[in-house]
Amino acid sequence: MGIVNQDNITDVVINSLGKHGTITDREREIATSLIKHLHGFIKDVKLQHSEFLAACDYLARAGKLCNDNRQEFILLGDILGVEVLVDMMTNPIEGGESESTVLGPFYRENPPVLPKGGSTIQKHYDNEETAYFEGYIKDENGNGIAGVTLDVWEDAPNGIYENLDPDQPEYNLRGRFETDENGHYAFVAVRPVPYPIPDDETAGELLRFMGHHPNRPGHMHFIISKDGYRPLISQIYDADSAWLEEDSVFAVKESLIGKFKPAPEGLGTDLHFEFDFVLKTEAAVQAVAAE
Ligand code: BEZ
Ligand code: FE
């Protein structure tokens, strides 16, 4: 029955699913919920046709902004807290493993491979504070894991990532490190400073629509991986940073906050940051999924 009125429209659309082509159970589940929530939202706010057209125009403009350097829909998802929620659904924390958080748009593949204790700093700034980052990558039993790869990246002391700043050398403040036989990692970088996410164009329009700001607290990004373990995409946060409790992309987790301390004599940096991570084995991930 395809004749609609305001009361039956949601059921009519849902009942049409799969009528003229095969769809999977997952597609049906997603489409049913999407239609229910979308129709519910439209009825809730009594969406007007002019507002619907404005939304279509907004999405069209967002789409035109997407290229190799800017993925506007991820950014919009971040501003709405969507990416962090999807990440929490995808990577639930069941044991003592470290929490993940959003990847963000500024990761670059194949960063420079550096020795343990090496430095990612290629350009110096007057306001920089150098820091020695170190810790252990452990399994859920507390044993250090050897040969784990860590990709790290952060913004420069001017608040800009290297790939968006023509005045920084290629791959500045990016590096790939490996844990030693005890699972220990170490590298030199700078204390990350707060910075604004892109707040021009449609991302800026959404921030202003929400009455929000674009700023993120100082953080260091990590991708930690080794065969046999669930890859961990995460960030560590400076406990003393501005915006820690008001992150524009809602990605800060309590367990990811750490403290920069004055470096002990002989370390060669201004500050010292110690942080351990715990990886979950793929076998443990699959066992939970099978439950
Ligand atoms: C970042 O941390 O690099 C980031 C995350 C989400 C949106 C924009 C930037
Ligand atoms: Fe970032």
Side-chain angles (χ1 to χ4, degrees):
M1 169 27 194
I3 309 302
V4 300
N5 59 47
Q6 199 166 315
D7 294 327
N8 74 1
I9 175 73
T10 304
D11 289 338
V12 169
V13 179
I14 289 172
N15 288 339
S16 76
L17 293 172
K19 279 266 167 70
H20 298 279
T22 313
I23 61 172
T24 65
D25 290 349
R26 181 64 175 155
E27 284 165 347
R28 181 180 296 282
E29 184 184 11
I30 289 174
T32 302
S33 183
L34 176 69
I35 293 160
K36 266 192 201 157
H37 283 90
L38 206 50
H39 287 209
F41 158 73
I42 289 164
K43 287 180 176 171
D44 198 25
V45 301
K46 296 192 174 52
L47 198 78
Q48 299 300 294
H49 200 253
S50 58
E51 293 167 327
F52 168 70
L53 291 180
C56 292
D57 171 63
Y58 178 82
L59 292 174
R61 286 186 290 113
K64 284 185 193 143
L65 292 171
C66 294
N67 58 39
D68 286 349
N69 288 321
R70 182 160 177 161
Q71 219 300 359
E72 193 70 359
F73 289 104
I74 295 183
L75 204 50
L76 301 181
D78 287 327
I79 292 167
L80 290 166
V82 167
E83 192 184 4
V84 73
L85 178 57
V86 170
D87 178 51
M88 288 190 280
M89 297 287 106
T90 310
N91 297 302
I93 300 298
E94 274 107 10
E97 74 268 31
S98 296
E99 286 191 270
S100 56
T101 191
V102 301
L103 174 67
F106 302 130
Y107 175 63
R108 283 186 76 184
E109 307 236 340
N110 302 316
V113 177
L114 297 167
K116 190 182 156 204
S119 175
T120 64
I121 305 172
Q122 297 186 46
K123 176 177 177 173
H124 290 280
Y125 292 79
D126 290 346
N127 66 330
E128 80 184 15
E129 290 180 280
T130 57
Y132 195 83
F133 294 79
E134 64 172 326
Y136 288 88
I137 313 292
K138 300 177 185 169
D139 63 21
E140 287 165 298
N141 299 317
N143 301 312
I145 314 170
V148 177
T149 301
L150 292 89
D151 282 6
V152 305
W153 70 104
E154 63 174 326
D155 60 326
N158 63 358
I160 309 178
Y161 281 85
E162 147 278 326
N163 52 331
L164 300 183
D165 183 355
D167 295 330
Q168 287 182 52
E170 281 276 297
Y171 290 99
N172 187 36
L173 297 168
R174 297 176 189 270
R176 176 168 289 172
F177 298 90
E178 200 170 276
T179 56
D180 67 13
E181 65 280 10
N182 300 313
H184 187 245
Y185 75 88
F187 62 92
V188 172
V190 294
R191 181 185 207 160
V193 299
Y195 66 86
I197 61 169
D199 62 350
D200 56 342
E201 305 283 0
T202 44
E205 280 175 55
L206 180 58
L207 285 165
R208 286 188 293 281
F209 179 76
M210 293 168 69
H212 212 213
H213 65 82
N215 301 303
R216 297 219 61 210
H219 58 275
M220 175 71 75
H221 291 265
F222 285 81
I223 296 181
I224 302 177
S225 54
K226 173 163 172 135
D227 281 352
Y229 295 86
R230 179 167 77 180
L232 177 66
I233 296 174
S234 200
Q235 304 176 19
I236 50 178
Y237 293 93
D238 177 354
D240 297 311
S241 176
W243 307 107
L244 193 67
E245 308 232 346
E246 288 184 275
D247 184 9
S248 57
V249 300
F250 309 99
V252 180
K253 314 261 180 84
E254 192 71 43
S255 68
L256 300 175
I257 301 172
K259 186 101 183 145
F260 284 92
K261 298 186 178 145
E265 282 258 319
L267 212 50
T269 55
D270 301 317
L271 300 168
H272 188 203
F273 193 95
E274 290 177 281
F275 204 93
D276 294 345
F277 294 93
V278 178
L279 297 189
K280 193 169 186 160
T281 57
E282 285 291 0
V285 175
Q286 271 149 27
V288 170
E291 274 170 15

